[in-house]
Amino acid sequence: MNFSGFLNHDDGRSPGGETVGGGNYFFSPAAAMSGGPVQSIFSSPRLSLGLQTNVENNGGEVGRTGESFEVSVARKSPESRSGSDHADALSGDDDLDASDRPLKKKKRYHRHTPQQIQELESVFKECPHPDEKQRLDLSRRLNLDSRQVKFWFQNRRTQLKTQIERHENSLLRQENDKLRAENMSVREAMRHPMCSHCGGSAVLGEISLEEHQLRIENSRLKDELDRLCALAGKFINRSDEAVSHHLPNSPLKLGVGSKNVYDGGGFTLVPSGFEISPFFSGLEAPVNRTGTDVAAGVDEKSLYLDLALSAMDELVKMAQTSEPLWIASSKGKMLNREEYNKSFRPCLGPKPDGFVPEASKEVGMVIINSLALVETLMDSERWAEMFPCMIARNSTTEIISSGMGGTRNGALHLMQAELQLLSPLVPVRQVTFLRFCKQHAEGVWAVVDVSIDRISDRGGSASSAWSSLSCRRLPSGCLVHDMPNGYSKVTWIDHTEYDETNIHHLYRPLVRSGLAFGSKRWISALQRQCESLTILMSSPNKPTPISSIGKKSMLKLAQRMTENFCRGVCASSSQKWSKLDIGNIDEDVRIMTRKNVDDSGEPPGILLSASTSVWVPVSPRRLFDFLRDELMRSEWDILSNGGPMQEIANIFKGQDHSNSVSLLRSTAMNASQSSMLILQETSIDASGATVVYAPVDIPAMHSVMNGGDSAYVALLPSGFAILPDVQGTEETGSLFTVAFQILVNSLPTAKLNVESIETVSNLISCTVQKIRAALRCDK
């Protein structure tokens, strides 16, 4: 997750002009900046790559130019002119007699040393607008006056802005030249029109050039009208006669007046009067490129568009409808299956044999506007960062449409994702789906997902289309309404059909209720993440022991730790874990192994992951508070050496201070642990809680807290995941997952022995027993 926006910004500008060093050079930041605070060099997406390279390659030159004089941005004299020459030039009339001319002391300029410039440049890259405290700290470290540091940053920002403007002007000139050349070529083509059929010169006769262009545009609009009429005919099942006057000779007439239904051996034409879903053919049959398919006039992208529009229509209706479609219960709003079957025709065809339906609806207020949320959902990387504990892996396979008018309205993406629940007893859900975004009104957006597994299953038989499918998403997504003060009202719908045979019986009631993968979990995670971003981007009211740069690095390290923990629990394909089957290990304990050779974020060697899930008769909140209490940690953590932990740093990520990243130190360390700290991230919301921790070296953590790169800090996470156990209408306890990742051998070529596996298995069992005993739970 990128938290670069929460750094404290201070433009460092004085309220008026400054007289520096007693001289007569008047510096006006407002005049020099000419228009407010300097934009970031990477604020323009088109310029970011080129400018970043340019600035980095010329960093030394920029530093020398910016540091030749303390204040030089308000005057326009050649750089080769010295300060003394400039002072003489301003001293008065050269024709005056020397005796009549008042004596003036020449201005002394201070040229910074290369070491000072290097240090200032490194700080400028991280924070172009240092506050007063940071400037004082720099002046003490570099033996400079605070005003010198202040004016250096002002000059540096102005110089950077000038470079950006020059580069932008250069790009605009290039675009202007390109457009001028295109205009000339178009004019030349219009003077000598060519026939599109024969390739020869077109004879316009007495028709003017403007009229000819209008006729071409009219023909294009007619073709577009025919296409839209054909598409509309599919939705409203109009007959051939109703649309024949729009499509007299179009090959799309066959697709409008009849439906192509796959019957196991080929496509069969069915009259439009029959009650069959207009999308049944494309979704129930493999799409092949045979002559029959071409004759039907249906291609893959048109099927995608049909499916996306149908799914969007269903999502919006389900989001705007309450009872009797949705029934309120203690677990949230549940779908009335009978009413749903009456109101909607399934756009994905009949439910596969053995699949179980799951549907839920949740409404919540989220501190994010609709445009920002839409951008997050349509960007696969940002989507995964927003829901790190729910999305194990995802990618955008194809961008079918990027939207209209520079917005996400009409954007259609083909995506793949692995959805996870933090337990080894619940397999990862692999889905391939379309994500479609549409703006319904000002400040009202909808984003819908719908599976396309049977469309993408080409070349196979209808009976084997579901052979590898364990889950499919019916129209699911969110309807977003902008609200005052930057909030949005989000209505989330999750509708899924899945195979529950591979789910452990302990988790089946939770998954069926919709609390495992349903809308309540999506909304809860979204609210928690948006609240965290808002708090971290706001300026602190009081000084904190960790700098803004240090917070950013520490949060990145904690984010990577939590992501690796989740992947180790759920055996995501993003990490190449191999499952081990050991006869004397409990069947509910999953042992996996992999080798790390070149990942600097983990120790090299053979890694072992062990996880299990159990039921405990305590509430999720009580269990969570016990595990995150550093004073009670000695009850279960062998790293504490029997003594309590001491918290030495903390970053709160929510109004509930339980959501935080902290740094712990054992008060009873032995000699081998004298250079070790514990990095821990805790989070809780209405859908569950996690406690993730990992031992880290003190020197590495010291570098991170000073703003160093956290990507090179090697760690192996362990921790706990807590979910509510729902039986009937009551919560009867907690579903508790324990997971460890351990380095068993530092040589990647070494062989894994049974003793190491048994040791890790015993560690899990011992930890669970200690927690049960401390909470006085019945075994």
Side-chain angles (χ1 to χ4, degrees):
M1 187 176 301
N2 187 357
F3 296 110
S4 59
F6 70 81
L7 297 179
N8 188 18
H9 291 279
D10 178 20
D11 59 3
R13 292 180 290 174
S14 303
E18 294 285 352
T19 303
V20 182
N24 295 323
Y25 299 102
F26 186 80
F27 175 73
S28 175
M33 304 288 282
S34 66
V38 179
Q39 297 286 337
S40 170
I41 187 172
F42 307 118
S43 62
S44 175
R46 296 188 305 162
L47 306 180
S48 60
L49 183 58
L51 287 180
Q52 184 177 4
T53 305
N54 184 44
V55 172
E56 291 177 355
N57 292 339
N58 298 304
E61 181 181 350
V62 170
R64 290 191 298 272
T65 306
E67 292 305 323
S68 296
F69 304 98
E70 291 181 13
V71 284
S72 60
V73 295
R75 55 191 177 88
K76 299 181 179 178
S77 59
E79 293 183 4
S80 61
R81 186 173 182 176
S82 66
S84 60
D85 293 340
H86 190 66
D88 291 341
L90 296 177
S91 61
D93 190 356
D94 291 338
D95 296 334
L96 293 177
D97 187 78
S99 62
D100 297 331
R101 188 183 307 159
L103 294 176
K104 290 191 177 182
K105 187 177 180 180
K106 289 187 178 181
K107 172 65 179 170
R108 293 182 61 190
Y109 292 94
H110 174 76
R111 189 181 298 274
H112 300 321
T113 66
Q115 292 78 12
Q116 290 173 333
I117 295 175
Q118 183 178 5
E119 181 68 19
L120 289 167
E121 286 287 351
S122 65
V123 175
F124 182 82
K125 288 181 180 180
E126 296 291 339
C127 181
H129 299 269
D131 55 22
E132 185 177 357
K133 180 179 178 181
Q134 291 172 314
R135 293 198 298 269
L136 289 174
D137 180 60
L138 272 175
S139 63
R140 284 194 296 268
R141 282 193 288 144
L142 302 179
N143 196 22
L144 295 173
D145 187 77
S146 176
R147 291 165 63 85
Q148 290 177 308
V149 175
K150 174 181 177 181
F151 292 130
W152 186 93
F153 274 90
Q154 289 177 343
N155 293 345
R156 186 67 177 82
R157 290 193 297 267
T158 304
Q159 189 178 51
L160 190 59
K161 179 184 177 183
T162 303
Q163 287 183 339
I164 294 174
E165 290 176 346
R166 288 176 180 172
H167 192 80
E168 288 178 342
N169 290 339
S170 176
L171 291 179
L172 289 175
R173 281 194 297 271
Q174 294 176 8
E175 289 189 10
N176 191 25
D177 294 340
K178 182 179 178 181
L179 291 174
R180 186 179 292 109
E182 291 179 356
N183 189 19
M184 295 296 295
S185 63
V186 170
R187 287 178 179 272
E188 184 66 23
M190 292 171 64
R191 293 191 188 100
H192 306 283
M194 304 294 292
C195 177
S196 59
H197 298 286
C198 64
S201 299
V203 180
L204 301 181
E206 300 298 326
I207 301 177
S208 65
L209 188 61
E210 290 77 11
E211 185 177 353
H212 180 67
Q213 294 300 318
L214 289 174
R215 290 187 177 186
I216 294 175
E217 180 67 13
N218 190 33
S219 176
R220 186 189 66 80
L221 292 175
K222 284 183 178 180
D223 292 340
E224 182 70 12
L225 176 62
D226 291 344
R227 188 185 68 82
L228 293 176
C229 289
L231 187 61
K234 290 185 179 182
F235 290 117
I236 60 178
N237 288 328
R238 291 193 295 183
S239 63
D240 291 344
E241 293 76 16
V243 296
S244 58
H245 63 282
H246 286 299
L247 302 168
N249 299 311
S250 173
L252 290 175
K253 180 178 178 181
L254 178 64
V256 175
S258 57
K259 301 177 179 61
N260 306 284
V261 180
Y262 189 80
D263 61 1
F267 287 88
T268 303
L269 298 180
V270 179
S272 59
F274 284 81
E275 289 299 320
I276 298 178
S277 170
F279 310 106
F280 188 88
S281 62
L283 302 172
E284 294 301 308
V287 176
N288 51 62
R289 298 304 174 189
T290 64
T292 306
D293 186 36
V294 174
V298 180
D299 62 3
E300 191 174 73
K301 288 190 177 181
S302 69
L303 289 175
Y304 287 165
L305 180 60
D306 291 350
L307 179 58
L309 292 172
S310 178
M312 176 63 72
D313 182 59
E314 180 173 322
L315 174 76
V316 173
K317 289 180 180 178
M318 292 180 72
Q320 295 176 342
T321 306
S322 55
E323 294 184 356
L325 182 63
W326 295 99
I327 303 174
S329 69
S330 59
K331 306 169 190 176
K333 294 182 179 179
M334 310 305 292
L335 183 65
N336 184 340
R337 188 64 54 180
E338 182 179 354
E339 188 67 25
Y340 172 78
N341 293 333
K342 293 179 181 178
S343 305
F344 301 96
R345 287 184 297 176
C347 61
L348 291 183
K351 178 171 62 69
D353 294 338
F355 273 40
V356 176
E358 166 202 331
S360 58
K361 175 183 178 181
E362 191 73 19
V363 181
M365 300 295 294
V366 184
I367 186 168
I368 187 173
N369 63 63
S370 60
L371 289 177
L373 180 55
V374 165
E375 287 293 332
T376 299
L377 296 176
M378 298 305 295
D379 186 310
S380 59
E381 183 176 346
R382 293 170 61 181
W383 179 46
E385 290 176 352
M386 184 65 77
F387 303 96
C389 293
M390 299 184 66
I391 302 171
R393 186 182 185 184
N394 73 317
S395 63
T396 300
T397 305
E398 181 183 359
I399 299 179
I400 301 170
S401 171
S402 59
M404 298 182 295
T407 69
R408 293 291 188 177
N409 185 25
L412 181 60
H413 294 182
L414 178 60
M415 305 178 72
Q416 292 180 332
E418 293 181 1
L419 307 180
Q420 63 187 3
L421 185 68
L422 296 183
S423 171
L425 305 183
V426 180
V428 171
R429 290 183 173 181
Q430 298 181 345
V431 288
T432 302
F433 58 95
L434 290 173
R435 175 160 290 179
F436 181 49
C437 177
K438 183 179 179 182
Q439 183 178 16
H440 292 270
E442 184 68 27
V444 180
W445 292 78
V447 179
V448 65
D449 296 346
V450 61
S451 286
I452 59 148
D453 302 273
R454 301 200 71 173
I455 291 181
S456 57
D457 242 342
R458 301 184 191 134
S461 65
S463 60
S464 63
W466 298 107
S467 58
S468 60
L469 185 67
S470 61
C471 168
R472 66 174 188 172
R473 287 176 70 77
L474 278 68
S476 305
C478 59
L479 184 64
V480 187
H481 292 75
D482 271 335
M483 303 296 286
N485 301 325
Y487 280 79
S488 293
K489 178 184 177 183
V490 181
T491 303
W492 203 287
I493 304 292
D494 192 271
H495 195 184
T496 307
E497 294 174 343
Y498 64 96
D499 182 6
E500 72 170 2
T501 56
N502 294 326
I503 300 176
H504 194 277
H505 65 85
L506 191 64
Y507 278 83
R508 288 184 183 180
L510 180 72
V511 176
R512 286 183 178 179
S513 69
L515 298 178
F517 295 95
S519 55
K520 185 174 184 179
R521 192 176 177 211
W522 289 105
I523 284 287
S524 299
L526 180 64
Q527 290 173 327
R528 176 167 51 81
Q529 288 292 99
C530 291
E531 181 186 15
S532 172
L533 287 173
T534 303
I535 291 176
L536 294 174
M537 286 191 296
S538 61
S539 301
N541 296 326
K542 58 182 180 179
T544 58
I546 309 176
S547 65
S548 298
I549 303 175
K551 281 184 179 180
K552 179 180 177 181
S553 295
M554 190 170 170
L555 289 169
K556 281 186 176 180
L557 182 60
Q559 175 192 357
R560 176 163 64 87
M561 175 184 69
T562 302
E563 288 176 352
N564 288 346
F565 169 77
C566 296
R567 292 167 181 167
V569 172
C570 301
S572 167
S573 61
S574 59
Q575 292 182 333
K576 297 180 180 179
W577 290 105
S578 299
K579 185 178 179 181
L580 300 177
D581 293 323
I582 308 298
N584 56 347
I585 302 297
D586 189 350
E587 62 178 7
D588 292 338
V589 177
R590 180 163 63 189
I591 306 291
M592 301 182 298
T593 183
R594 63 184 176 90
K595 296 179 181 179
N596 178 46
V597 178
D598 53 2
D599 187 354
S600 60
E602 295 177 332
I606 299 179
L607 309 180
L608 204 65
S609 171
S611 57
T612 189
S613 295
V614 297
W615 177 83
V616 290
V618 295
S619 67
R621 184 75 206 200
R622 181 188 170 195
L623 182 56
F624 172 74
D625 289 338
F626 168 77
L627 293 172
R628 73 181 186 88
D629 188 352
E630 62 269 16
L631 299 179
M632 301 296 294
R633 199 178 188 99
S634 60
E635 297 287 337
W636 57 267
D637 190 3
I638 62 173
L639 297 178
S640 65
N641 295 311
M645 287 285 188
Q646 178 186 3
E647 184 181 273
I648 60 177
N650 199 315
I651 303 175
F652 296 125
K653 298 176 62 179
Q655 297 294 338
D656 184 350
H657 288 180
S658 301
N659 296 313
S660 65
V661 174
S662 55
L663 202 58
L664 308 176
R665 178 175 58 194
S666 175
T667 59
M669 291 186 295
N670 55 37
S672 62
Q673 296 174 323
S674 58
S675 62
M676 186 188 71
L677 297 174
I678 300 293
L679 177 67
Q680 178 173 281
E681 180 172 15
T682 58
S683 60
I684 187 170
D685 55 42
S687 63
T690 57
V691 177
V692 184
Y693 64 93
V696 291
D697 292 333
I698 289 180
M701 205 63 217
H702 185 268
S703 173
V704 170
M705 296 179 71
N706 286 331
D709 190 356
S710 64
Y712 299 100
V713 178
L715 51 77
L716 288 176
S718 301
F720 312 98
I722 307 168
L723 295 169
D725 179 32
V726 180
Q727 297 288 345
T729 59
E730 298 180 357
E731 290 187 6
T732 60
S734 299
L735 297 174
F736 183 43
T737 297
V738 184
F740 293 98
Q741 292 186 32
I742 299 174
L743 176 68
V744 295
N745 198 309
S746 58
L747 295 176
T749 57
K751 293 184 178 180
L752 188 64
N753 53 51
V754 179
E755 290 76 11
S756 300
I757 299 175
E758 292 179 348
T759 300
V760 176
S761 178
N762 292 334
L763 175 62
I764 282 190
S765 300
C766 182
T767 302
V768 172
Q769 290 174 3
K770 287 183 177 181
I771 293 174
R772 283 180 174 273
L775 293 172
R776 295 178 175 85
C777 300
D778 295 332
K779 295 185 180 180

